[in-house]
PDB file of all heavy atoms in Angstrom:
ATOM      1  N   LYS A1451     -14.696   9.506   9.422  1.00 39.00           N
ATOM      2  CA  LYS A1451     -13.986  10.761   9.627  1.00 39.00           C
ATOM      3  C   LYS A1451     -14.355  11.703   8.511  1.00 39.00           C
ATOM      4  O   LYS A1451     -14.245  11.366   7.336  1.00 39.00           O
ATOM      5  CB  LYS A1451     -12.470  10.540   9.608  1.00 39.00           C
ATOM      6  CG  LYS A1451     -11.925   9.883  10.831  1.00 39.00           C
ATOM      7  CD  LYS A1451     -10.446   9.786  10.734  1.00 39.00           C
ATOM      8  CE  LYS A1451     -10.026   8.354  10.631  1.00 39.00           C
ATOM      9  NZ  LYS A1451      -8.650   8.177  10.341  1.00 39.00           N
ATOM     10  N   SER A1462     -17.577   3.543 -16.278  1.00 44.00           N
ATOM     11  CA  SER A1462     -18.440   4.702 -16.487  1.00 44.00           C
ATOM     12  C   SER A1462     -17.895   5.646 -17.538  1.00 44.00           C
ATOM     13  O   SER A1462     -18.642   6.351 -18.198  1.00 44.00           O
ATOM     14  CB  SER A1462     -18.626   5.458 -15.170  1.00 44.00           C
ATOM     15  OG  SER A1462     -17.390   5.912 -14.677  1.00 44.00           O
ATOM     16  N   ASP A1544     -10.364  -7.748  -1.822  1.00 92.00           N
ATOM     17  CA  ASP A1544     -10.471  -8.809  -2.823  1.00 92.00           C
ATOM     18  C   ASP A1544     -10.796  -8.149  -4.152  1.00 92.00           C
ATOM     19  O   ASP A1544     -11.739  -7.359  -4.237  1.00 92.00           O
ATOM     20  CB  ASP A1544     -11.557  -9.809  -2.432  1.00 92.00           C
ATOM     21  CG  ASP A1544     -11.636 -10.995  -3.384  1.00 92.00           C
ATOM     22  OD1 ASP A1544     -12.131 -10.805  -4.520  1.00 92.00           O
ATOM     23  OD2 ASP A1544     -11.228 -12.101  -3.007  1.00 92.00           O
TER      24      ASP A1544
END
Side-chain angles (χ1 to χ4, degrees):
K1451 286 183 247 171
S1462 60
D1544 185 287

